[in-house]
Amino acid sequence: VREDLSQPQQTSVATLTIVYDHHTRGLSDKLNNVQHDHGHEIVSSLHVHLDHHNCLEVIVLRGKKAQIQALGDRIAGFKGVKHATLALTTDGKGLR
Ligand code: NI
């Protein structure tokens, strides 16, 4: 997997986990819009309402590693996103 991920053009699969406050003005719209705009890279997402303020979202991404990382960084940088972690793996084709 490490070998696969050393190539920026390699197809990778990743989960982006974010925790955010849905009361932050405009954030829910922004998250929704970016996921619609990147529908070809975003495979699925799971949303958990943690408490009155906080939401957890796990977004599954697939695409070129560099693009996936850039998209992850962009979402992580949205105002109101408290924590973001991107876990990269491969599509498994190069693995036995
Ligand atoms: Ni929620």
Side-chain angles (χ1 to χ4, degrees):
V1 172
R2 204 179 300 125
E3 209 172 283
D4 270 6
L5 293 177
S6 66
Q7 298 160 28
Q9 293 308 307
Q10 178 69 35
T11 299
S12 63
V13 179
T15 56
L16 175 67
T17 303
I18 56 172
V19 174
Y20 65 95
D21 185 341
H22 76 272
H23 290 116
T24 302
R25 183 183 286 273
L27 181 57
S28 295
D29 275 352
K30 243 170 148 178
L31 287 168
N32 195 29
N33 287 338
V34 79
Q35 292 190 53
H36 276 271
D37 290 347
H38 291 269
H40 52 291
E41 285 160 321
I42 292 171
V43 179
S44 183
S45 69
L46 169 123
H47 188 105
V48 179
H49 309 296
L50 294 172
D51 59 29
H52 184 69
H53 289 278
N54 295 296
C55 300
L56 172 94
E57 209 153 294
V58 180
I59 302 167
V60 180
L61 305 141
R62 181 167 55 194
K64 297 209 187 310
K65 183 197 158 200
Q67 284 168 7
I68 294 304
Q69 277 179 318
L71 187 54
D73 285 347
R74 196 173 144 209
I75 293 171
F78 287 169
K79 193 185 172 209
V81 174
K82 297 176 174 184
H83 182 71
T85 181
L86 185 74
L88 282 160
T89 185
T90 77
D91 58 9
K93 283 178 186 155
L95 305 178
R96 273 176 286 168

